[in-house]
Amino acid sequence: PATMAAPALARTRKSAHVATTAVLLATCIMAFVLLSRSPEIGISLRSLSGNVSGRALIYRDSMRPTTRVCAVEMAGGGGKRIIISGAPASGKGTQCELIVKKYGVKHISTGDALRAHVRNQSELGKQAKAFMDAGDLVPDDLIMKIMREEALGDGDASGWLLDGVPRTAPQVEALNEAGLVPEAVILLEVPDDVLVERCVGRLFDPETGNVYHRTYFPPPADVADRCITRSDDNEETMRNRISQFKKNRQSLIDGYKGVVVSIDGNRDKNEVFKDICTALDHNTIAA
C-alpha cells in the first residue's frame, strides 16, 4: 500500500505546486494591471535590479531589447507633483507663479530653458530657434536634452511643477520612466482668438525675463525701452503654434487619464487660480 501511495502523493504535490504557481502568476498579472492603470501606485521591487534611472526602477527584458518600467519611486518627496498645460499665451506663466508661492514646489519651465539656450546661443539653442521661429514644436530629442540639463529628476522634497512638458506621447512615457508621475495635470482652456490677442501684444524684458503686455500689463516706465517682442510672437506663427498644440493635446489627456482637470483660463487670474487650488487641495480631478 505504501508503494502504491507514493505516486499518488507525488501527483498531489505536483498539483499543489501547479496551483500555487497559477495563483502567483495571477497575482503578478493583477499587480501589473493596477500599476499600469494608476500613476498613484508604486511597487518597490528592488530585487529585480540595482539600476535606477532618475527615480524609476527599471529592468531589461531578456527576450526584448526595450527598457520597461517595473516600479516607480515618485520623485518629489511629500510635495505636490503637478503638470500645467495649455496653448501658448493661455496663462501658464501667471498660474505657475501663484502655484509656486502657495505650494512651494519647484517650477521647471521648458519654455524658459529653451529661450535661455537661444539667448545664450548654445548649440541646443541654435537648433531649437529654427523650430521656434517657424512656430513648430521643438523635437522630443531636443526637449529631453534640455530636461537633462535642468535636472528634472532631482527629487526636490518640496515637489515640482512642470510647465511646457510633456506635449507628446513619447514625452509622457519618458517622464514616467524618470519617476516624474503627476498627481494632477492642469489643462488651461482659452479660445483661439483670445490666445492670438494675448500673444501679439506681449513684451519681453531680456534682463529680468519678465513678460508684459502692451494693453493688459504694460511694463514700468523704467524698463519699457528695453522690452522687446519675441520673433515668434506674431499672428501667423501663433496660429501655427495653437494648431500644433491641439494636435498633441489628446496625447496628454490619454497619457494621464484620471488626473487631468480642465480649467477655463479665459477669466481673471485669481478666479482661475481658485479653481486650480480646489482641484489640488480636494482631489477634484476629472477622469
Side-chain angles (χ1 to χ4, degrees), residues 204-255:
F204 177 73
D205 183 349
E207 290 190 15
T208 64
N210 292 334
V211 179
Y212 303 96
H213 193 278
R214 288 188 178 90
T215 303
Y216 305 117
F217 185 41
D222 59 333
V223 303
D225 289 342
R226 70 173 183 242
C227 288
I228 62 173
T229 298
R230 295 204 313 246
S231 59
D232 56 339
D233 279 349
N234 58 78
E235 182 170 353
E236 181 181 358
T237 299
M238 182 61 177
R239 291 197 181 278
N240 188 22
R241 294 173 67 192
I242 294 172
S243 176
Q244 293 285 352
F245 171 78
K246 288 183 175 180
K247 288 179 181 178
N248 290 283
R249 180 177 179 274
Q250 196 61 41
S251 296
L252 188 75
I253 295 173
D254 292 342

Side-chain angles (χ1 to χ4, degrees), residues 19-20 22 32 39 45 73-74 126 142 165 177 179 184 268 270 282 287:
T20 301
F32 177 79
L45 301 176
E73 287 184 74
M74 300 301 182
K126 292 176 182 177
L142 280 181
V165 68
E177 291 182 356
D268 178 80
N270 294 317
H282 303 290

